[in-house]
Amino acid sequence: MKRKRRKRHPVRKAVLGLLVIFFCTALGAGTVWGMKGYGMYQEALTEKPLDVRVEEVRNREDFTPYSELPQFYIKAAVSVEDHRFFDHWGVDLIAIGRAVWNDIKAMSFVEGGSTITQQLAKNLLFTQDKKMERKAAEVFAALEIESNYTKEEIFELYANTVYFGSGYYGIGEAARGYFGKSPLELTDYESAMLAGIPNAPSAYSPDTNKELASRRVNHVLKSMVRHKLITREEAGEIEKSFPFQ
């Protein structure tokens, strides 16, 4: 007896077709963005090599070496910005996958999935414009940065180039501008605040909105608890000492 062929459900067939089209479109777009990004990356290096840019940062008056960064600030920033920083090779594929999925759901560029290394690449080499080719350029730059500098050097450079709001670039300017002290003198709650500001400097700066600054510190501390960097009790004690509640 001849077996009857099972008819493929029309809806399932349509969904499969759409997935194939989406995959091919994404692959083609990714190739184009990748080529443009590589060109942008090479253009930036031609304008000024990476090592020259790094030395310029290190020669700044307010440059703060890694040894003078509070350990609490380092843990807080890594926790909230890139908790796999010390394990990845400059690009976090898990974070990128999550970001792409969220962007697709929102039908907008709402999440970037950038690592601390990619953020450093952006600060050193590129503009802040949210363009796909720039994101691709960040990847190429991040790979070069990771191959030439240690994780400690990368975080050091990140902390000295990131924008902290209110016109402060780098943790040295931010610590003195907001608290009137050097980075090494920062308390835990001050470190948590500075770790949280770069996500949205204009919103989380205590000069702009003390309530939002307080909420952001709370978010940073919860992230640190979630990643087992501090206990709930320690987070609670730090929250109580926060002056803008």
Side-chain angles (χ1 to χ4, degrees):
M1 291 180 64
K2 289 185 177 179
R3 287 185 178 182
K4 291 184 178 179
R5 289 186 177 180
R6 189 177 295 176
K7 292 183 178 180
R8 186 173 291 178
H9 197 282
V11 174
R12 188 182 302 171
K13 187 176 181 180
V15 170
L16 181 62
L18 288 173
L19 286 174
V20 171
I21 293 172
F22 174 79
F23 176 78
C24 292
T25 302
L27 185 62
T31 301
V32 172
W33 286 328
M35 292 174 64
K36 287 184 177 180
Y38 185 74
M40 182 182 292
Y41 159 68
Q42 289 295 328
E43 184 179 340
L45 291 183
T46 300
E47 182 180 324
K48 188 181 294 182
L50 179 62
D51 58 342
V52 174
R53 295 172 187 266
V54 167
E55 284 308 307
E56 287 179 349
V57 174
R58 288 174 171 166
N59 288 329
R60 290 177 184 172
E61 185 178 351
D62 278 319
F63 181 79
T64 305
Y66 188 84
S67 60
E68 294 180 17
L69 293 173
Q71 285 300 306
F72 195 91
Y73 166 73
I74 295 170
K75 292 177 181 179
V78 168
S79 173
V80 79
E81 288 290 337
D82 179 11
H83 70 273
R84 283 182 284 269
F85 172 67
F86 288 102
D87 300 317
H88 63 60
W89 37 272
V91 177
D92 188 342
L93 296 179
I94 296 174
I96 288 176
R98 183 189 66 241
V100 169
W101 175 243
N102 289 335
D103 289 347
I104 290 172
K105 287 194 296 183
M107 297 299 289
S108 177
F109 194 79
V110 297
E111 187 174 339
S114 292
T115 63
I116 283 176
T117 313
Q118 286 175 268
Q119 291 180 55
L120 172 61
K122 176 181 65 178
N123 295 338
L124 286 176
L125 295 157
F126 309 114
T127 67
Q128 304 298 309
D129 294 337
K130 288 187 175 181
K131 295 181 179 179
M132 291 306 297
E133 55 264 36
R134 197 215 70 204
K135 298 298 294 183
E138 279 180 18
V139 172
F140 291 112
L143 295 178
E144 179 172 351
I145 289 171
E146 289 274 347
S147 65
N148 287 282
Y149 300 94
T150 66
K151 288 290 187 179
E152 288 74 16
E153 289 174 321
I154 291 169
F155 188 87
E156 176 186 80
L157 290 165
Y158 162 79
N160 281 278
T161 56
V162 70
Y163 182 54
F164 287 94
S166 298
Y168 304 132
Y169 285 89
I171 190 169
E173 283 190 6
R176 290 178 177 82
Y178 286 126
F179 308 114
K181 57 179 70 173
S182 70
L184 201 55
E185 297 173 311
L186 293 171
T187 63
D188 289 348
Y189 75 77
E190 291 166 345
S191 292
M193 179 195 289
L194 293 187
I197 290 175
N199 181 261
S202 61
Y204 296 136
S205 164
D207 289 347
T208 303
N209 191 317
K210 290 180 172 59
E211 183 181 350
L212 277 182
S214 177
R215 289 181 190 176
R216 183 61 178 168
V217 170
N218 181 264
H219 175 80
V220 171
L221 294 176
K222 284 182 177 178
S223 176
M224 295 182 76
V225 171
R226 186 168 62 253
H227 294 117
K228 297 180 170 49
L229 296 172
I230 58 174
T231 65
R232 292 180 188 275
E233 291 72 25
E234 289 172 328
E237 289 301 313
I238 294 169
E239 284 181 32
K240 288 178 186 177
S241 69
F242 196 70
F244 302 134
Q245 298 200 58

